[in-house]
Amino acid sequence: MKPIAIYTPKQMEEIIEIISENFGAGEFIAHETKSEYVHTDVNISDDGEMKNFVTFGMGAGRMNAPVEPFERIELIMNASQDVDITIPLGEIVRLSKFPFRNDTWLGIGHTLSFTDHFKNAFGYEYILLAPSSLFFSPKDTTNGVKSVVFLNVIPIYKDEREWIVENNSFVYLDLLYNKFGDDMFKVDVKREHYIPTDEEVDEINEL
């Protein structure tokens, strides 16, 4: 197995500061005691509307991406305040290992299956990765880490993923936002399934 990729101490200070500025210092930080490929810690915070799970450590590893700007990412997952935090926490840590375990990459518009544990708890079967405005460009680049982008993990249902496969994930991201606003990012068992009408698709394509 490849050596575990980790941020330098200076990089850790920088990325924790960025996460704290954008999501708050957090209720607590979940530290990995046993790592695989990358050392994934997760900042868990509550902004009053939802719980935020933000990884820091995944970006120390370089994914097998086609071009450099997509090689390093961190993940953001949001959940309703009443969820059992151990389930989204376990899932986001698992996702952080996926590209390294499979020698691949994760990027905007990609979909990936959740575990049965997550499916049974919330009903969602897939994730859809979406952009965020957050990025990390460390001052310390001694380990080759120059730029890391944060991506949102959006939970979607099986029928929604089928629509994406037949159509377009980027169009669906726009449609989801028009329908649900920021709630599209939330792991919420009460969210309805959303299959857009032809009229809604035409409206998006005309923008």
Side-chain angles (χ1 to χ4, degrees):
M1 188 175 68
K2 296 179 180 179
I4 296 171
I6 58 174
Y7 287 129
T8 68
K10 289 183 179 179
Q11 289 170 346
M12 286 291 285
E13 291 177 5
E14 291 179 71
I15 197 168
I16 289 173
E17 182 177 354
I18 289 172
I19 292 172
S20 297
E21 288 175 353
N22 286 272
F23 297 96
E27 294 180 340
F28 63 90
I29 294 175
H31 294 280
E32 270 198 324
T33 56
K34 185 177 181 181
S35 300
E36 180 185 25
Y37 302 104
V38 292
H39 181 80
T40 308
D41 292 328
V42 181
N43 184 85
I44 304 172
S45 62
D46 188 333
D47 63 10
E49 296 183 359
M50 63 180 74
K51 291 189 181 296
N52 308 295
F53 301 78
V54 186
T55 67
F56 55 104
M58 181 182 182
R62 183 170 61 85
M63 299 184 297
N64 185 18
V67 290
E68 184 175 350
F70 304 116
E71 289 179 338
R72 301 177 187 275
I73 64 172
E74 298 289 352
L75 300 173
I76 304 167
M77 182 184 287
N78 306 123
S80 302
Q81 292 178 303
D82 57 349
V83 304
D84 176 356
I85 67 171
T86 62
I87 302 176
L89 173 60
E91 199 68 19
I92 200 171
V93 171
R94 180 190 71 87
L95 292 171
S96 76
K97 316 294 184 181
F98 179 87
F100 310 107
R101 184 179 296 122
N102 296 279
D103 193 26
T104 186
W105 65 295
L106 297 176
I108 298 169
H110 287 185
T111 60
L112 191 67
S113 176
F114 276 126
T115 61
D116 288 341
H117 188 44
F118 195 95
K119 295 175 188 176
N120 293 335
F122 303 114
Y124 298 102
E125 295 199 28
Y126 294 89
I127 68 163
L128 172 62
L129 290 175
S132 81
S133 59
L134 201 59
F135 65 93
F136 173 45
S137 296
K139 297 175 183 177
D140 175 14
T141 60
T142 56
N143 57 355
V145 178
K146 298 178 182 178
S147 180
V148 181
V149 297
F150 287 75
L151 298 184
N152 285 299
V153 177
I154 298 177
I156 58 174
Y157 298 107
K158 182 179 179 180
D159 54 353
E160 296 173 335
R161 199 253 182 180
E162 290 172 350
W163 189 94
I164 289 170
V165 171
E166 294 176 0
N167 295 273
N168 185 294
S169 60
F170 295 96
V171 170
Y172 193 72
L173 284 170
D174 289 337
L175 288 161
L176 270 180
Y177 190 77
N178 279 356
K179 179 72 173 179
F180 299 109
D182 288 340
D183 282 344
M184 68 182 275
F185 301 110
K186 189 188 300 183
V187 177
D188 184 354
V189 295
K190 298 178 182 178
R191 181 173 80 75
E192 63 183 280
H193 292 235
Y194 176 53
I195 303 301
T197 65
D198 291 341
E199 290 76 15
E200 288 173 318
V201 175
D202 290 340
E203 289 177 6
I204 287 292
N205 289 332
E206 290 173 0
L207 295 178

